[in-house]
Amino acid sequence: MSTIAEVCNLRLKFPGEESLLFKDFSLDIKKGEKVLILGPSGCGKSTVLQILSGLIPNSVEVPMKTDHIQIPESWGFLFQDPDTQFCMPYVDEEIAFVLENLNTEREEMADLIECYLNQVGLKFKQNHVAINTLSGGMKQRLAIASVLALKPEVLFLDEPTAMLDPKGTEEVWNTLKTISNDKTLVIVEHKIDHIINFVDRVVLMNHNGQILADGNKDYIFEQHKQIIKEHGIWYPGVWDEYIQYRGVNARSYKSNHSLTPSLELSDFKGYRGKEEKINVEDSKVYPGEWITVIGANGAGKSTLLHSLMKLIKIKGNYELYGLPHKRIKKISQYLSFVFQNPEFQFVTNSVFDEVAYSMRLNGEHEKVISNRVNELLQLYKLSEHKNQHPYQLSIGQKRRLSVATAIVDKQPVLLLDEPTFGQDAKNTFTILEQLEDLREDGWTIIMVTHDKQIIKYFSTRVWSIKDGMLNDDIKTFNPSVYKENLSE
């Protein structure tokens, strides 16, 4: 097979970093290959895709040197964060923009737009829908549809299903498998169960951006499993081994109703503009509970958290520890929030200052701040990046930073929107174990997630959202109920 993308002896250093991310890094991709790049969070997987596609340095200026680089003539790129690649404000216009650049006849566009949206499972009453009104998962589907419209020879896919529910993940990968027989795919993906039988080559990287192994997928997972485990990388069966090692059992619902509810809702509604987007008829949440919020993409899960934070207009009864929300001057005294997109909550120019920000606002002594911040940075493997700008982190590192900023002030109720997407296995388990420690200390945790294992082994209770309603309050994990609520 002929080489379609290649980089030889790459040296690259991000501004603000003390050392090279890549030193004499070489990788070639053959035409028609389906290549999976695996490695711990922050090792440079996404950067490799951007270099092989030419985005770095042609669009993103980063100091780098190579002996040789070959960029594909026809390629499409799917970013981790779909918002970063949209050019137009509306769904139909986004795909039409691609078609116009391909000189597609105007009269053919409507049918083609409908076709590409159908391929990724997006259906609207009419396709002129504002992109900023879509859920994260729906945006990710739209980004995939736009890339498919390019009909590229090479697809660079950077966690293409990170924000999708299980049904959406399966649908998207089935679509990609169908259309990619004659295409080259270079994939970065943590959710490997859906693609392990699809890829034919695995490139294994370590924390320092070095290639540890490169070869047939069966060879990599059989011969290098111990190295994969040591570096905290996802591999088939990792959850089973973790559960066995930790001795964790599936949760059942237990709460102490003698305590004052940490959160109480009745006839509670959240609005975007004048349109009602979420409705909770009646629910009480108690200290020490870990509620996972499930539902299909666009059901209203993130909107529920936005409503609880009063980021959008709300109506109805809403109490925190017995106090009506209207009597609470600062809701952030009781609640902290991890956004689905971590960049929405960054306000400073360094990782250290980001974690320290709220403590400084509260007038804490600098020595206390330094000790607390360094403790969290070490826990979430961010100490080496403490002087870096948050926007320069990988998506997994940004997620960990957002969790650290949310727990630093120790508010008793923690809201998290997909906190583990983009994480390697080791960091996923670190986050979950930290949250479990907080729950045991009496914190209330409300987490949006699509991860069945988190729901089964960590949550004490499940809220199912359907069509903007709290549809079910599930007291124990039930696989059939889980599947039903995520597939509708």
Side-chain angles (χ1 to χ4, degrees):
M1 291 185 290
S2 60
T3 297
I4 199 167
E6 183 179 21
V7 62
C8 296
N9 293 327
L10 167 70
R11 287 174 170 244
L12 180 146
K13 179 177 179 291
F14 281 107
E17 286 288 332
E18 296 181 358
S19 59
L20 292 168
L21 174 59
F22 297 116
K23 183 178 180 181
D24 300 329
F25 177 94
S26 297
L27 180 66
D28 69 284
I29 307 296
K30 304 297 184 184
K31 185 175 182 179
E33 280 191 314
K34 312 296 186 287
V35 182
L36 173 63
I37 300 178
L38 281 180
S41 174
C43 73
K45 303 183 296 295
S46 299
T47 305
V48 169
L49 296 194
Q50 293 178 42
I51 291 167
L52 289 173
S53 65
L55 287 173
I56 294 177
N58 297 331
S59 297
V60 182
E61 294 185 8
V62 178
M64 59 172 275
K65 291 182 179 179
T66 65
D67 289 349
H68 169 72
I69 188 166
Q70 178 181 341
I71 307 301
E73 293 183 5
S74 170
W75 56 270
F77 198 107
L78 186 72
F79 289 87
Q80 285 179 330
D81 178 5
D83 282 317
T84 60
Q85 68 188 79
F86 294 138
C87 299
M88 307 300 288
Y90 293 93
V91 168
D92 54 349
E93 293 179 359
E94 181 65 24
I95 300 179
F97 179 77
V98 177
L99 298 176
E100 285 174 354
N101 281 276
L102 296 176
N103 295 319
T104 304
E105 295 293 334
R106 181 173 291 274
E107 55 268 20
E108 299 175 10
M109 287 188 180
D111 289 341
L112 286 171
I113 290 170
E114 191 70 30
C115 173
Y116 289 121
L117 292 176
N118 285 336
Q119 282 188 0
V120 297
L122 279 179
K123 293 179 175 60
F124 304 101
K125 292 180 180 178
Q126 53 90 20
N127 294 327
H128 194 65
V129 177
I131 294 174
N132 63 9
T133 65
L134 302 182
S135 70
M138 295 169 78
K139 287 179 180 178
Q140 197 160 34
R141 293 186 193 219
L142 175 60
I144 295 169
S146 300
V147 171
L148 295 180
L150 281 171
K151 297 183 179 178
E153 291 182 9
V154 181
L155 281 167
F156 295 101
L157 305 174
D158 197 355
E159 300 220 39
T161 63
M163 297 182 183
L164 298 185
D165 57 46
K167 182 183 179 184
T169 297
E170 184 175 358
E171 289 174 348
V172 164
W173 278 117
N174 286 341
T175 296
L176 290 170
K177 291 173 186 177
T178 300
I179 59 95
S180 65
N181 287 334
D182 59 344
K183 299 184 186 298
T184 304
L185 269 63
V186 188
I187 306 163
V188 170
E189 177 65 278
H190 287 298
K191 295 157 63 174
I192 65 175
D193 290 343
H194 287 278
I195 60 169
I196 198 63
N197 294 322
F198 173 52
V199 300
D200 43 43
R201 176 183 168 194
V202 174
V203 177
L204 187 63
M205 297 173 61
N206 67 8
H207 291 89
N208 299 319
Q210 299 169 324
I211 294 179
L212 296 174
D214 181 356
N216 176 275
K217 62 186 177 186
D218 295 328
Y219 166 77
I220 296 296
F221 287 118
E222 289 173 6
Q223 299 299 318
H224 296 276
K225 185 174 181 180
Q226 188 57 38
I227 294 176
I228 291 172
K229 292 174 69 173
E230 290 172 359
H231 284 81
I233 300 167
W234 290 109
Y235 59 89
V238 63
W239 262 105
D240 293 336
E241 292 186 14
Y242 173 77
I243 296 305
Q244 184 176 8
Y245 171 75
R246 295 286 299 180
V248 181
N249 296 313
R251 286 280 180 80
S252 60
Y253 174 76
K254 293 180 181 178
S255 64
N256 189 346
H257 285 198
S258 64
L259 298 174
T260 300
S262 51
L263 188 149
E264 185 171 356
L265 305 170
S266 61
D267 195 26
F268 178 77
K269 299 175 183 179
Y271 296 82
R272 295 198 183 276
K274 296 182 179 180
E275 189 175 357
E276 180 186 313
K277 288 294 185 179
I278 191 69
N279 186 318
V280 179
E281 290 185 357
D282 185 64
S283 190
K284 294 180 181 180
V285 183
Y286 292 87
E289 289 195 309
W290 182 329
I291 296 177
T292 48
V293 184
I294 67 172
N297 290 129
K301 304 181 298 296
S302 297
T303 303
L304 172 62
L305 300 192
H306 294 166
S307 300
L308 295 176
M309 284 300 299
K310 297 177 67 174
L311 298 176
I312 60 176
K313 179 183 176 182
I314 63 172
K315 291 183 179 180
N317 182 56
Y318 175 22
E319 296 183 6
L320 290 167
Y321 294 92
L323 288 175
H325 72 92
K326 292 182 180 179
R327 290 175 53 189
I328 300 173
K329 291 183 179 181
K330 289 181 63 177
I331 202 84
S332 58
Q333 291 179 325
Y334 294 88
L335 304 179
S336 58
F337 183 36
V338 174
F339 283 83
Q340 189 177 63
N341 185 338
E343 292 185 357
F344 288 169
Q345 64 194 86
F346 296 152
V347 294
T348 73
N349 294 321
S350 79
V351 169
F352 185 95
D353 289 343
E354 196 65 40
V355 183
Y357 182 77
S358 60
M359 295 185 72
R360 286 173 175 157
L361 281 182
N362 295 332
E364 298 278 1
H365 192 278
E366 276 298 320
K367 186 174 182 180
V368 175
I369 292 173
S370 180
N371 290 339
R372 175 66 171 155
V373 172
N374 284 319
E375 173 191 349
L376 289 172
L377 293 182
Q378 184 174 3
L379 176 65
Y380 290 120
K381 309 294 189 296
L382 293 170
S383 296
E384 294 180 1
H385 308 283
K386 65 180 181 181
N387 296 320
Q388 208 169 334
H389 195 288
Y391 283 12
Q392 292 180 321
L393 301 177
S394 74
I395 192 70
Q397 291 167 337
K398 289 175 183 176
R399 298 300 292 168
R400 299 202 298 278
L401 176 58
S402 66
V403 174
T405 61
I407 68 175
V408 66
D409 281 338
K410 302 181 180 180
Q411 294 97 322
V413 181
L414 180 57
L415 312 179
L416 307 105
D417 199 347
E418 301 271 14
T420 60
F421 92 74
Q423 300 298 332
D424 56 35
K426 186 175 184 178
N427 283 304
T428 293
F429 296 139
T430 295
I431 290 173
L432 293 175
E433 289 170 10
Q434 168 71 4
L435 294 177
E436 174 61 12
D437 288 343
L438 296 176
R439 187 199 67 79
E440 290 182 347
D441 286 342
W443 288 39
T444 298
I445 297 169
I446 303 178
M447 174 195 288
V448 171
T449 185
H450 294 300
D451 194 318
K452 178 173 64 176
Q453 306 295 350
I454 295 175
I455 298 166
K456 182 176 181 179
Y457 292 108
F458 284 91
S459 71
T460 62
R461 187 171 164 191
V462 182
W463 280 354
S464 170
I465 307 296
K466 181 181 178 182
D467 298 330
M469 290 279 296
L470 175 54
N471 193 50
D472 285 308
D473 191 342
I474 306 164
K475 310 302 182 184
T476 56
F477 178 78
N478 184 318
S480 62
V481 173
Y482 164 83
K483 186 174 181 180
E484 176 186 347
N485 280 278
L486 288 187
S487 63
E488 293 179 343

